[in-house]
Amino acid sequence: MSLLETRSKTGSRSDVRLSKVVPEVLSRESRARRYGIDCPSELHWHAKEPGGDYKQKLTIKNVSTQVIKFKYKLPETSFFFMKFPDLFTLNPGMAASIDVNFRPIRSEPYDDVIEFITTQGNFFIRVIATMPEHGVKMQEHLDFGFATVKEESTRTFVLRNIGEVNAPFELLSEAPFDVSPKEGVILPGKTMTVKISFFPTEASVYVGTIVCKQPIPRPALVMKISGIGKIPFVAISKSEVNFGTVLTGRAVNEEVILTNTSLVPVSFELNPIPHDHDPVKGKIPADGSLALQVTYTPISTGSFDCDYFEIVTPGGNIQKICCKGFAEPHSVEIDRSSINFGNLELGKVSLRTLEIRNNTKEKAFYQFITESMGCFEFSRTDGSIIQESSVNVDIRFTARVPGNFYRRIFILIKNQGPLYLDLTATAYVPLADSCSPRLSHSHPCAYRYHQNQDQVPRPMPLAQKHVDLYRTRQMMEGTAHARAIHEVTSSNNPTSVIWNEFFLDDTDSRREIFLLEQHVEFGAASEVGVGDYKQITVHNNTDVKQTAMFMIPPDNYIRQPDGAGEITMTTLGPVLKPLETCFKVFPEKADVLPKSSTTFKVAFRPEYRNAYYAQAIEIFVFPKTQRNFRLVTDENFVPPHCVTPVCSGNTFPVGMEAFTPKLRVPSTRISFPACAVSDKAYQIIEMYNDADTPLRYLFDEDQTGVFRCKPNNGLIMPHCAQLVAFMFCPLEAKRYEHVTTCVMNGSSVHAVKLTLIGSGNATSIELETNHLQVKPTCVGSVTSRAIEMKNPTGIPILFSCLVPESCSRVLVVEPDRGILRGNEKVSLFVHFAPRREGSYSLKVPIQIDQAKVRNLADAEMGEAEDLDETFSPRQQRRSVPSKQTVHLNVYGVGTVGAVTFEPETVDFGTLVVGTQVSRVIKLVNHSDCTMYHNITSSMEKNLEYKDGKGFISAFSTKRVTICFTPSERKYYNVTITCRLSTSSESLVTGDHGPNRTGIQLLQALEFEDAPQCQVLGNAVYPVLSIVDARAAGSVFNPISSSRVWREFSLMKMNKELSSDLNRKEVKWNKAEIDETDPTKVLQVMEMRFEVKEQGYPPSMNILRLKNTGVLALDFLLKFPKDDEDEPENWVDKDLQGEEELTLNMILENKLFLCEPRRGHLEVGEEVDLILSYKHLMATKEFRLPVVLNICELPAAGGVLNTGKQIVLSLIGQTLAIAEAYLHLPAPDAQHYKHLEWGFEKTPIGLISPPIQYYKLENLGQVPLDYHVDMSEVEKLNAENFGFDVVTCLDNTDWHLEPGESVTMRWVFNPLEAKMYTWQLPISVYSGESGGETHVVKFYAEGCQPSVHSNPETTIMPTPNQLVLMTAERFCMGNIPLGATIHRMIILTNFSHEQVMIFNFDLDGELAKQMVVLHPQSGEIDPLSHVVVKMTVRCMTSSILDFDVPCMVAPKQEPEEENEDLADDNEDAAPPPTSGTGRPSTGIAQSVSGGSVAGTAKSARRRKRTSVIELPPPMRSSVRQRHGGTRGFVSFQERNDGKDSGNRTQSFMDDAASVKSGSSRISAATAQTSVSMASALSSVSRQTGIGSHMDQEDDDESSEQYLFLSLQAHVRPPEQHRSLHENNHFFWFPKSSFSSPDGISPNLRLPTTASSATSDRRSPSLASGNDQSPASTATGTRGNSAAGSRPSTRDASQQAQLRAKVTEGILEQLLNDIINDDQILNSFTQLEEAPVPCFVQVAKRPPAIFQCEEASRGEAEAVADAAEKAHEGRKRRVYAGIDVPGHSAEVPLELTEEEEEELQRDTRRRTAMSMPEFENLAAFVLNACIFNFLEELTYGEEQL
């Protein structure tokens, strides 16, 4: 149907003429191949405006080899305009063009065709016009997957304008989803990318929608978005990064691997603690890692750095990292610390070489703090040394002035402590004999000098030993100078003495010689060579006169003249020609008096302009007395002192701008290592002059004295460096930060500010808490508690934990001592092990002190060393700080523990097998101590515990999760036990300290009383059952429900659905099996739909599914390819197999439908499942496997396979039109397959085997003929000796009209007990078509008839029969010899008016000997019944098969009598049946006659009436006596025997069956009793008995006979025992042939021959067991409750309440009988009457009562036995011990009364042991039960 036709039907305008049928438009290739014409298949106009004329050309080309003539037919609609259709002729290869104009009048789509007519046929060209499209396309789903909580995840999707106009849109979203942009316009054919963000706030599943709103009428688009928020977890590879020792300034890298163990990426932020660094941010991919690079670059030499960092994620995951490192100083050494230039003559020069070695792997920079051209000249004063190498420095001394020279030169090394070099030298004037011989009188000055040389002083040669002796002498004397240098520091820095001396200024008054001016600044000189004078004052702080001598180094700017620095001989001696310097001192040499000062003038005489000058002037001061060596010794020799004032100036004009300085420093922030208060820390920085001119620097002074630097001023030559040392001496414990200004070139404009940072520290520690509370601990256990101790300072601290000796066995702290470096933490493990119950309060002092370590990298106590003690003890005590003590208070309690479960029983209820269910139980610790627990059970594979091991805190509750996973279907009852012990907590937590000291205190104790908890659970499978099935067939061919059950294999399906899962099915549910085809793993149920012809309505079947289990369930019907995606268009379908193509065709056409496909059923709920098959195409058979899955369908989606899965093989067949179809019946799917049939088991040897049926139906629409090939049957019969084992009673050829059926009758008569099989081909013919043959395989089994089988008793009433018997045939099977069998028969009168009489004929030989019936005759009221008791005594081994006739006839009405007779009868008792309608229960007196004396004796007693002859009590109301309305009485069950052929019910059970209506009176005859009334009602309707019987005339009524058939096989006991397990079901009466002579009077029951039989097998009452008469009355049911005297207390737990009531009634009746006066009198009369009472009812009286003479001997024998028994029962008194031959027996004397009573008891026991008495008791009890059951038959069960 075309598009326009569709629009017309849906409401388009009616004036548009449309074609009715759209013809087929061929493809271009098909058209050229068929017609030889090549042209397009359609002409398409798009988006054309109405009112226009739009033309297209249609080109027709002849591609054939012949001339083609054609014409066209105009389109039916007038909107496509063409010229008149002339005839076109095209030669081969030629083409023609046809104009087609489109003239629309409305904005709507148009569709039509142009028909072309050719000689080869007609073809069509489509002409179509479409509207412009508009709209936005958006995807339907977007899943973020896993996203990080509290982080934004982004995705993008595309909005595409699939229309031809602009598409505005608006996007709507809701949190946590957001989109950007929210609105916009998309041009035609364009796209727009939209960003969507997802910000989950918690770990949960989020589902939302994005709505795209479009202009009306376009519908809104909805996109479902989802995401799962997950909390990430970041793990670190190591929590501590220890860099060790690193050279200052060197960068070392370490990596910390951050691992993201979650499935989502996570961002993190690295924050320092404290926050003195910038945070670092990053992102770790999902399930990935990131290498975090940690760089350590130490900047403070000798400092220990310890910093902490936190890695924080937005989700709250925090990881801490501790970074440690020590700034190791450089190791630069000099080959010697002192150089002695010797004793030199004036003018001589001495050269020495100093080696400086760099032992580190980094470049080192050094500098000598001295002038290069001073007294001691250096070849270089600064420089660098490459790694692991050395340099040489030449030092030269020139003797220009006589005297001793000593100077300590300090060497500053970058990133290392200073070194010092002692330089000593002596210059003297040579002696005369050593002068040159050229000196003569011609040299008057020299000559005069040598003549007076004795007057020239010569100093004593100075050596290093003199320096060492002098310094030692000062330290021993404790001078101020020595104390200042050797001041003891707490850090014990080995270079502190050098640092002290280096920073001891020349102006320090503690010096022996000091200056008043350290720095002489001249400023800018006015003119070159002219300047003002400054002064330098030298103060003598000693007690001797000192001589000060100035030595000014030459200036670098001045070129020295010739001869400068050489010595000239004068009359006064050698004269040094002075060097040219810019600074002049006047005088150059002068004396300084003790304790006084001398001032010297200094002049600044520069020679160059625009230059900076700075010079250190050396002043050597020595005692005046030491100018001559004769005045000094080694002990009092004092080396000269040297002070070096610095003079500086410049020659820049005033106001002139100086050179622009270019100073470079590594950092403007100088950090000092942490130090203690009053201690000192040092740092050395390098200042480099990058300019081409000298740089003059000057540092300002810190007025607080905390920070100092040296040298604080100087001149740095171009491209040279200067090392400056800074000192930090904190006065308080705080952080210092000072900004010092370095003024360059005298201008503050170019000043550089350096920030000096230092921290003063006082020894202290921080504990988490000073009061540590240890939880109560069980005695014998150990509780470990870790407490963190931190060194908040930057200096190393030594701590010692001093646990008192009295507490050492209870409390241990480790580590007990150690060193904590700056900002470092340590965990102190406190182990508490109480030895008794009670409270503990312990105080642990922790002593702290500043650690004395060689360097700050030392951590072990063994590495801490003190310096050599050089001070006196008094000075040492004054310098060393005192120790501090911090107390840690520990509180604990020692106690004992007790743990219980709550609840003590955990019931998981009913759950599915294989599913895991969790329950939370509580472990409650009722004590005040922590206990260690471990939960165990005997079923570890089914029970798992979360937190099943661990500790329970005091007075707390711990939640333990029990995960129960049942593995099979059964009831679980598991006991879990909680093992308690005093195991140390440290064993699990690992907090036992580094030395495992906590474990050493443990005393392992385990508690015996372990708490227990019962875990209950009932593991089942969800059960889905089919409770009903219907076929929605046609009214012409209805289908029964039973046929649906067979065709759909529903019985087999129910059986399979209710069974357990096998191993393969369990693996299939868990997807652990390597198989994808469910039919190879699961059970397959064939479900065959009704066969119909093509085009008929679908075959529909309705199955009612019900949840018959105890759990709610979900079901799912899974079709093939439900989980597969649609194949792409490029998939070649030719490559698919035939089965796959057929399956695809079935699914595409939806031939099979199932509704609903899924559902949820609570317990007991039902749902109708509709299965249908469409008859669309004729085919043989279509099969579709559908998996029925009993599962769980979560709300979030997915399937949880928890139950049974089966494959429903849906089979459908469709007949072609007029196709014949013969339907074969479906077999029992539980045993047979399709095209198989099985007959019922048939016993062999049956005279009339049953007929079995096989039904054939014609379900087609045409008649058919069929033929059954009986060749296989004939062959089977021939193989069985020609015997007709299988016989077909019907014709093998038949004609069936549509809808007709035929039932073939078969007779199976087996010869052997085996399985017979044969194939039966059935050929079907319809009309002239060929036949189709179906081969059916038949199965039939012959079986051996069992002798214990119970054939059914049928009731077939004869015409006019009014009385029916409940059972007419009693097959009692095997009976042991001597047993007595009891049965009951009910005779029912179905007449409404007639009273019937009955009489059993027992005149037969067998009946007379073996059968007793009571009552033997009587009357039956209308619509009433009577109960007859039958007793069979099997006294002869024989095979019984005889009948007992029973005559029934109507009772004749009595003749009328006169009133006198009637009056006389008024006093008579009414008949038993009056008032109640109950039958008479009189019994004939059949008691054997006794002796005359006995009869007379009984006549004197009161009249006795048997209990079975007593009339029943009158009831106020009697229930309706119809069988269908009577209630059911259940008696106690007994243990069934293994042989089903034996009697399997007790007499009480038979009575119950009488009441209930079930045929249980006889185990051999399973026939209904009371319920036969309902059965007979149907019989009466068929035979006319009942309703029509009452209408018959009395004359027509006659006597009728009923027959009671008895069948039994009486076997000897030995043979009977070989056939059966036991004889519990039979009662054996006592033998009356036993002689009483052998009866022992001291025994209550005699031991008979039957006692040889085991207790389990012997049914006899005389087996030696003490059995009550009740056991005989019930037939001796073995070990069951009926086998002994029944009582409510002894009843089993499974007995029903009604059974208990019944037993109570029986017990009461028995007690009434035993306590009856007549029974009691019968025992008392034994002493008086010669005939006991039981003789009256005995058929054969005992021999002792038959003849007095014959029985006299037996009486004497009885008397003798009594005498022996009396002697044996005498009481004896034993004297002495019981030793054979040594015991004395003293018989007691009895009184006459005692003797008489003893004889009476003996006679009574003798009488009770006789068989007659036991038979009497059995008879009375039997009659009592009979009477009781008779009451039950009248609905009086509430007795």
Side-chain angles (χ1 to χ4, degrees), residues 1180-1226:
K1180 190 65 177 176
E1181 275 187 357
F1182 279 143
R1183 291 177 178 260
L1184 180 66
V1186 179
V1187 178
L1188 173 60
N1189 188 2
I1190 312 301
C1191 58
E1192 182 179 349
L1193 301 176
V1199 179
L1200 298 179
N1201 298 324
T1202 57
K1204 197 78 173 180
Q1205 294 191 57
I1206 60 175
V1207 178
L1208 308 180
S1209 181
L1210 305 182
I1211 304 174
Q1213 182 178 356
T1214 302
L1215 302 178
I1217 303 299
E1219 180 181 354
Y1221 175 70
L1222 180 65
H1223 177 263
L1224 304 179

Side-chain angles (χ1 to χ4, degrees), residues 241 243 252-256 270 292-296 309 321 323:
V241 182
F243 290 90
V252 179
N253 298 325
E254 289 283 345
E255 282 190 353
V256 176
L270 181 66
L292 185 66
Q293 185 173 351
V294 184
T295 303
Y296 176 50
F309 300 87
I321 299 178
C323 299

Side-chain angles (χ1 to χ4, degrees), residues 573-584:
V575 176
L576 176 66
K577 186 176 181 178
L579 298 173
E580 295 295 334
T581 61
C582 60
F583 295 98
K584 308 294 183 180

Side-chain angles (χ1 to χ4, degrees), residues 1790-1807:
L1790 299 178
T1791 62
E1792 293 181 1
E1793 292 78 6
E1794 292 177 347
E1795 187 71 24
E1796 185 179 357
E1797 182 67 23
L1798 182 60
Q1799 292 179 2
R1800 186 184 303 110
D1801 294 341
T1802 301
R1803 291 193 297 270
R1804 182 173 299 173
R1805 284 192 297 272
T1806 302

